[in-house]
Amino acid sequence: MNMSHSSVTDWGLKHVEIEEHFTILDVGCGGGRTIEKLAALARRGMVLKLVTAVETQYYWPDLVKDMQEILRVLKPGGTLIVIAESYKKRAYDRRQRLVMKPLRSTNLGVNEHRELFSTAGFTDIQIFEERTKGWICGIGKKPV
Ligand SMILES: C[S@@+](CC[C@H](N)C(=O)[O-])C[C@H]1O[C@@H](n2cnc3c(N)ncnc32)[C@H](O)[C@@H]1O
């Protein structure tokens, strides 16, 4: 996973500024490559300013509640960034459905990602797509 998720993670993280004093929580960290990378950037972390979630939100049992829990632990003005190498691009994407269904994974489209961040209480929401690769990156902030 560390190897196969490396490119999508690097692409997604380019959409946020990571400062030296940020304290960062990586939800669903897997093999830990993202944490290693972030720890090198945020050497003097003090407040929970950024939550990253790479290739993991598909498995969260209650997306709105789980995003609200992330919102709860973030400092006001803190950021959640969700990065995924797969998302729903059309109403009916047969191949993707075949993969996602047995895993009981959630497969959201762009507007559904935006709605999820908004329903959970995030503001300043931005959704980025890398359409040629099929990657998505959602960013939201905890209101100040
Ligand atoms: C496909 S791996 C991605 C790992 C890592 N973020 C990466 O990019 O390599 C999915 C991760 O989600 C975690 N996970 C599964 N169910 C979860 C849940 N309900 N809440 C939080 N994390 C979960 C797994 O333990 C695993 O680390």
Side-chain angles (χ1 to χ4, degrees), residues 107-120:
N107 189 29
L108 304 180
V110 170
N111 290 338
E112 290 163 323
H113 274 88
R114 197 184 304 282
E115 206 177 297
L116 174 62
F117 273 84
S118 172
T119 306

Side-chain angles (χ1 to χ4, degrees), residues 1-2 5 9 26-31 34 53-56 59-61 66:
M1 274 190 300
N2 277 348
H5 298 159
T9 306
D26 185 35
V27 178
C29 64
T34 305
V54 183
E55 285 288 286
T56 182
Y59 309 111
W60 299 354
D66 298 331

Side-chain angles (χ1 to χ4, degrees), residues 80-136:
L80 166 65
I81 174 165
V82 172
I83 301 167
E85 63 181 354
S86 165
Y87 68 103
K88 192 165 70 186
K89 292 177 277 304
R90 296 188 294 275
Y92 185 74
D93 186 334
R94 189 165 179 277
R95 211 188 73 184
Q96 195 142 328
R97 274 173 58 149
L98 286 173
V99 176
M100 300 302 249
K101 203 172 170 190
L103 295 172
R104 294 206 203 127
S105 308
T106 315
N107 189 29
L108 304 180
V110 170
N111 290 338
E112 290 163 323
H113 274 88
R114 197 184 304 282
E115 206 177 297
L116 174 62
F117 273 84
S118 172
T119 306
F122 288 85
T123 56
D124 301 315
I125 299 159
Q126 295 174 281
I127 309 290
F128 299 96
E129 293 172 89
E130 169 47 88
R131 293 187 75 92
T132 55
K133 309 245 187 197
W135 296 343
I136 193 161

Side-chain angles (χ1 to χ4, degrees), residues 35-68:
I35 289 180
E36 188 180 35
K37 188 181 176 64
L38 295 171
L41 296 169
R43 292 167 181 278
R44 297 189 299 116
M46 286 188 300
V47 291
L48 190 46
K49 262 311 227 187
L50 181 71
V51 174
T52 53
V54 183
E55 285 288 286
T56 182
Q57 90 281 8
Y58 319 113
Y59 309 111
W60 299 354
D62 184 329
L63 275 172
V64 171
K65 274 199 187 148
D66 298 331
M67 300 266 286
Q68 284 171 339

